[in-house]
Amino acid sequence: MTAENRHWIDLKRDADSGIESLRAHFRGHAYDPHFHDDYCIGYTEQGVQQFNCRRQVQRSTPGNAFLLEPGEVHDGEAPQQEGFTYRILYLPKDWVHTQLNGLFDTLPDQFEWHVDATLSNDRRLIGSIASAFLALHQGESRMVRDACTDQMLTQATAHLQWRKRSEDPRQPQLAERARAYLHDHIHQDVGLTDLAQTLNTDRFRLSRAFKTAYGLAPHAYLIQLRLTQARRLLALGQTPAQVAADLCFADQSHLGRWFRRAYQLTPADYRRRCTDLPD
């Protein structure tokens, strides 16, 4: 059995909100470690969905919802032969923050949402995710889509906390500075030695601090950062060749290899599903 007939993916993107809705089935290995810039909220429909997140092995089964913050590194696999099926919504951070202004009379200064626990068996939350997924995926009227996503966010607030946007004191300052540098230089061919010299340290100390803080080595984090940006650019209609050149991938096939390892879709297929533009 080939990878192609072990897996299937149904992905759509809501043009108004930028929310992506995905229903997928996987057997065996699903995803390499990666992260998203979005809030990810979904539920397991069938089978056992196993993934590493927050330095723990998470096992989601039917009746479990899962919630991931932007930037949380995770992977995915099916530990049982029949595989797993799940539904997930990728909620853009800016969209979430805009909606929260309507849900709450006052918001903490410089706020952001923090997920209490990755997994939940809250039936009301799962029901609200299911309703929002169907409204978005099936292209219901804007009024219905808005009502369903509002209800989902309302249910999700019971599982989230406010966290002030600030440097986390638990994370080494060296790792914070390195991460900020990578974000600022995403379009440049950054070398590890150059990065270490910029931060007045050595490559080995930098790599240890970074991996402790973020769960990935600097080079792996930079690749994932570029892949999240690639998703954004492809969804706006840029071609894979343009995106590969803009984000310092060696060529389009280089982008394609990394993109498929992270998302199980080629860049051209992802672009087509989001924009309906030809490959």
Side-chain angles (χ1 to χ4, degrees):
M1 183 178 290
T2 65
E4 283 71 20
N5 55 31
R6 288 205 311 266
H7 307 330
W8 55 259
I9 293 175
D10 181 14
L11 170 72
K12 294 184 179 179
R13 185 175 189 272
D14 178 61
D16 292 328
S17 62
I19 296 174
E20 292 180 10
S21 55
L22 180 144
R23 182 172 182 251
H25 177 81
F26 293 101
R27 293 185 181 181
H29 175 76
Y31 299 109
D32 284 353
H34 66 285
F35 61 81
H36 299 274
D37 273 351
D38 307 318
Y39 288 93
C40 304
I41 183 168
Y43 64 93
T44 303
E45 187 177 319
Q46 169 269 324
V48 178
Q49 180 179 2
Q50 182 170 295
F51 57 99
N52 292 281
C53 185
R54 297 187 177 182
R55 296 183 173 86
Q56 292 182 339
V57 177
Q58 312 280 351
R59 291 172 65 91
S60 179
T61 58
N64 284 144
F66 51 86
L67 303 94
L68 298 171
E69 296 178 22
E72 284 201 310
V73 178
H74 59 285
D75 55 12
E77 66 174 333
Q80 298 180 351
Q81 186 175 3
E82 65 269 22
F84 67 89
T85 309
Y86 71 107
R87 301 185 184 207
I88 187 170
L89 296 171
Y90 299 100
L91 311 177
K93 286 188 293 185
D94 291 344
W95 178 86
V96 169
H97 294 157
T98 299
Q99 305 312 305
L100 293 181
N101 280 304
L103 285 175
F104 297 93
D105 292 332
T106 59
L107 294 174
D109 185 42
Q110 294 296 308
F111 69 92
E112 65 181 1
W113 261 358
H114 169 62
V115 174
D116 288 336
T118 304
L119 299 180
S120 170
N121 59 4
D122 183 343
R123 292 186 177 181
R124 289 179 298 179
L125 174 62
I126 295 171
S128 69
I129 298 171
S131 296
F133 182 95
L134 289 175
L136 291 161
H137 208 70
Q138 296 178 354
E140 295 285 355
S141 68
R142 291 181 63 183
M143 188 75 71
V144 172
R145 299 199 308 271
D146 290 346
C148 289
T149 53
D150 285 352
Q151 180 63 23
M152 178 186 65
L153 290 176
T154 300
Q155 293 296 332
T157 55
H159 304 270
L160 302 161
Q161 298 177 357
W162 297 119
R163 179 173 64 188
K164 191 169 184 179
R165 294 177 190 166
S166 61
E167 183 176 301
D168 189 338
R170 296 170 299 176
Q171 295 176 345
Q173 187 180 25
L174 176 60
E176 282 282 339
R177 292 167 57 207
R179 179 179 179 271
Y181 187 93
L182 294 179
H183 279 258
D184 290 341
H185 297 80
I186 187 174
H187 301 285
Q188 299 177 20
D189 186 13
V190 178
L192 185 59
T193 298
D194 295 336
L195 176 59
Q197 290 176 348
T198 299
L199 301 176
N200 296 314
T201 187
D202 61 76
R203 293 168 53 180
F204 305 102
R205 188 173 287 108
L206 172 61
S207 294
R208 286 196 299 270
F210 200 96
K211 192 165 186 178
T212 298
Y214 301 112
L216 292 173
H219 74 277
Y221 183 92
L222 181 58
I223 289 172
Q224 296 304 319
L225 181 63
R226 286 173 171 160
L227 288 175
T228 61
Q229 179 68 2
R231 283 176 66 111
R232 186 177 298 110
L233 296 175
L234 291 165
L236 293 174
Q238 288 196 24
T239 67
Q242 291 173 321
V243 172
D246 185 48
L247 294 174
C248 292
F249 288 94
D251 51 31
Q252 183 176 336
S253 63
H254 185 216
L255 167 64
R257 287 195 298 274
W258 281 107
F259 200 91
R260 184 151 189 163
R261 287 175 62 179
Y263 309 124
Q264 289 294 344
L265 288 169
T266 66
D269 191 17
Y270 177 81
R271 176 176 178 266
R272 178 184 59 80
R273 292 170 185 255
C274 291
T275 65
D276 291 325
L277 293 172
D279 292 349

